Amino acid sequence: MKLFSIAVILLCAAASYGNDALTMQELYQKANAAYAAQSYQDAYPLLEALNDQAPENPEINFLMGRCALELKRYDEAIADLNRILVADPDNPDVLASRGFARKQLKDFQGAKADFEKALNIKPDFRFASRMIQSLASSGGAPRRSISVTAFCHL
């Protein structure tokens, strides 16, 4: 998912929303800046406002899901990520993110299924592999916590 795709959507929205397009562009810039600064509490409502204008945009939904994960709002994260999986059910990053949320909610079977599917799609996906190992070695319950931010670096 590239910044280009959101720019195209914002430009298309500009044609249909007139003066509101600048507001959408500003919202996106503020949301992206807040997310980049790891200010997830500030980014999430901005992303929600963008989602109202472009509800099927996978980048906005992914950022919303990631913010919700960081804020430990796991049910919201799952809902945000599910919107992406409807259109792209084989997205390993989204599956692993949803698996992480499910693991935190102690839905270990759902988490394992998401991590296994992500790993089948992307066999070298270290985060998914580590999460499966963690689930297996602990009998389902997590041995230790892993930061969602660490997921970005695996």
Side-chain angles (χ1 to χ4, degrees), residues 109-122 128 132:
Q109 284 184 322
K112 184 179 178 195
D114 282 344
F115 293 134
E116 286 176 344
K117 185 172 181 181
L119 202 53
N120 284 336
I121 296 164
K122 185 177 172 183
I132 290 171

Side-chain angles (χ1 to χ4, degrees), residues 12-25:
C12 291
S16 55
Y17 291 105
N19 293 334
D20 291 342
L22 183 59
T23 303
M24 285 181 61
Q25 200 166 25

Side-chain angles (χ1 to χ4, degrees), residues 1-7 28 59:
M1 294 181 270
K2 298 178 180 166
L3 185 58
F4 178 75
S5 65
I6 189 72
Y28 178 74
E59 183 174 355

Side-chain angles (χ1 to χ4, degrees), residues 90-107:
D90 294 330
N91 185 315
D93 295 326
V94 177
L95 287 163
S97 294
R98 186 177 71 178
F100 184 85
R102 285 177 163 178
K103 182 179 176 197
Q104 298 308 109
L105 290 173
K106 301 188 183 337
D107 173 8

Side-chain angles (χ1 to χ4, degrees), residues 54-151:
E56 294 182 17
N57 181 286
E59 183 174 355
I60 292 170
N61 282 303
F62 188 70
L63 291 174
M64 286 177 62
R66 295 302 302 267
C67 284
L69 285 173
E70 292 291 348
L71 295 169
K72 300 181 183 341
R73 297 156 136 182
Y74 302 116
D75 288 321
E76 289 177 43
I78 290 170
D80 297 333
L81 298 166
N82 281 342
R83 285 193 294 274
I84 300 167
L85 291 170
V86 168
D88 186 5
D90 294 330
N91 185 315
D93 295 326
V94 177
L95 287 163
S97 294
R98 186 177 71 178
F100 184 85
R102 285 177 163 178
K103 182 179 176 197
Q104 298 308 109
L105 290 173
K106 301 188 183 337
D107 173 8
F108 302 123
Q109 284 184 322
K112 184 179 178 195
D114 282 344
F115 293 134
E116 286 176 344
K117 185 172 181 181
L119 202 53
N120 284 336
I121 296 164
K122 185 177 172 183
D124 61 342
F125 200 168
R126 292 186 324 189
F127 177 78
S129 179
R130 285 182 28 188
M131 291 295 97
I132 290 171
Q133 289 172 355
S134 173
L135 287 168
S137 67
S138 63
R143 280 188 317 196
R144 63 182 174 86
S145 177
I146 185 168
S147 164
V148 179
T149 305
F151 163 68

